[in-house]
Amino acid sequence: MIEISPSKVVQVIFLSREGPAGQAQLYAFIDGLNDEEKAHLTAIAWVGRGAFEIEDYAEALRTAYTEATTPTADYLMGMPHLPENLEAGLEALGVDVTGEEEDLL
């Protein structure tokens, strides 16, 4: 269903929790994703935020593609509670990231 590896989403979660210290690295990481990964990352955050229900994931993905008017890194880094939204989105999608989290610790 999602076309971004859970480890990449977890990397964004960890970098976003570093605050200003990880901001440049987070920006570079998101900027380095391909367009499909960026759209999925955005859709996951929207599902986690409650802007879309899990059954509307395909619509969230289409919206992420069609309404991308600013760089994805700028948009996501400006989103309040980004790490929490991504975690909730992954959980809603049924993606277990336990192994990925342990690898980053």
Side-chain angles (χ1 to χ4, degrees):
M1 182 178 215
I2 64 170
E3 298 296 325
I4 182 172
S5 72
S7 63
K8 289 182 179 180
V9 179
V10 170
Q11 182 70 30
V12 172
I13 291 169
F14 274 77
L15 289 172
S16 63
R17 286 197 171 128
E18 291 183 8
Q23 191 170 15
Q25 190 176 3
L26 177 59
Y27 186 89
F29 185 82
I30 294 172
D31 198 43
L33 298 174
N34 66 42
D35 290 342
E36 189 170 307
E37 291 171 322
K38 290 175 184 177
H40 280 272
L41 187 63
T42 302
I44 292 166
W46 286 342
V47 167
R49 185 173 68 186
F52 288 88
E53 298 297 324
I54 187 61
E55 58 270 5
D56 298 324
Y57 185 78
E59 181 185 346
L61 188 58
R62 281 191 302 278
T63 303
Y65 276 117
T66 59
E67 293 187 10
T69 57
T70 61
T72 304
D74 291 342
Y75 174 75
L76 290 175
M77 291 171 68
M79 181 184 287
H81 312 291
L82 175 61
E84 293 84 1
N85 292 339
L86 290 172
E87 286 179 336
L90 287 173
E91 184 177 325
L93 290 163
V95 178
D96 180 15
V97 295
T98 305
E100 284 82 4
E101 289 176 344
E102 291 171 358
D103 289 346
L104 289 174
L105 292 176

